[in-house]
Amino acid sequence: MDRMVIHGQCPSKSNSYHVVTLHGHGSLAKRKVLKEYERAFFIQCPLRDRMIQGYFEMHIDVYFTSQSHDLDNTLKIVLDCLQACRVIKNDNRCVKIVARKFIDKADPRIELELREEGV
């Protein structure tokens, strides 16, 4: 069981990309807010290079600055960040997500616990 807290407002997956043209073809590019969050996540992540290779559960409490944010759009961003930090080998190994939404205007953050299956 691995637990962590990452401070900062997690951006929504649906608002984190924009269309750009590369070599005459449309492509998706990360917006600045997503790049900044990914950097902050990496710096704060205490489980960097943990590399969970098997199946796992993710239990997450997301603290937003307001009610208007969507919980489901946050989950993919967090899984992508965990993979980029090499906490998990692949987000397709996530077999269960337990997610709760809270409001904390002063301290937006995620509180996250990963539970390896079969350990």
Side-chain angles (χ1 to χ4, degrees):
M1 179 166 42
D2 295 310
R3 186 161 178 76
M4 71 174 95
V5 176
I6 305 293
H7 295 274
Q9 178 75 46
C10 184
S12 166
K13 175 89 174 176
S14 61
N15 296 326
S16 295
Y17 293 89
H18 59 103
V19 178
V20 296
T21 303
L22 294 173
H23 308 292
H25 298 283
S27 184
L28 289 178
K30 294 178 184 178
R31 292 190 184 274
K32 182 179 177 184
V33 67
L34 177 55
K35 290 178 184 179
E36 289 172 353
Y37 185 78
E38 288 174 333
R39 275 192 288 271
F41 193 104
F42 184 83
I43 290 167
Q44 295 179 59
C45 183
L47 304 176
R48 205 174 319 130
D49 296 321
R50 172 80 169 74
M51 197 50 85
I52 295 171
Q53 302 214 21
Y55 296 106
F56 65 93
E57 297 179 5
M58 180 171 75
H59 296 251
I60 184 170
D61 292 338
V62 183
Y63 292 81
F64 293 110
T65 55
S66 70
Q67 183 63 34
S68 64
H69 299 279
D70 292 338
L71 182 61
D72 60 332
N73 284 321
T74 300
L75 301 176
K76 185 62 180 160
I77 297 289
V78 171
L79 285 166
D80 289 347
C81 286
L82 289 170
Q83 192 167 313
C85 289
R86 298 174 45 88
V87 175
I88 59 174
K89 181 173 182 167
N90 197 317
D91 61 4
N92 70 5
R93 300 301 221 159
C94 185
V95 296
K96 180 178 180 181
I97 298 174
V98 178
R100 301 186 304 170
K101 177 179 178 176
F102 299 96
I103 307 301
D104 187 340
K105 293 178 183 181
D107 186 17
R109 66 192 180 280
I110 61 166
E111 297 181 2
L112 175 68
E113 184 177 307
L114 299 176
R115 299 178 186 171
E116 292 184 70
E117 290 290 307
V119 175

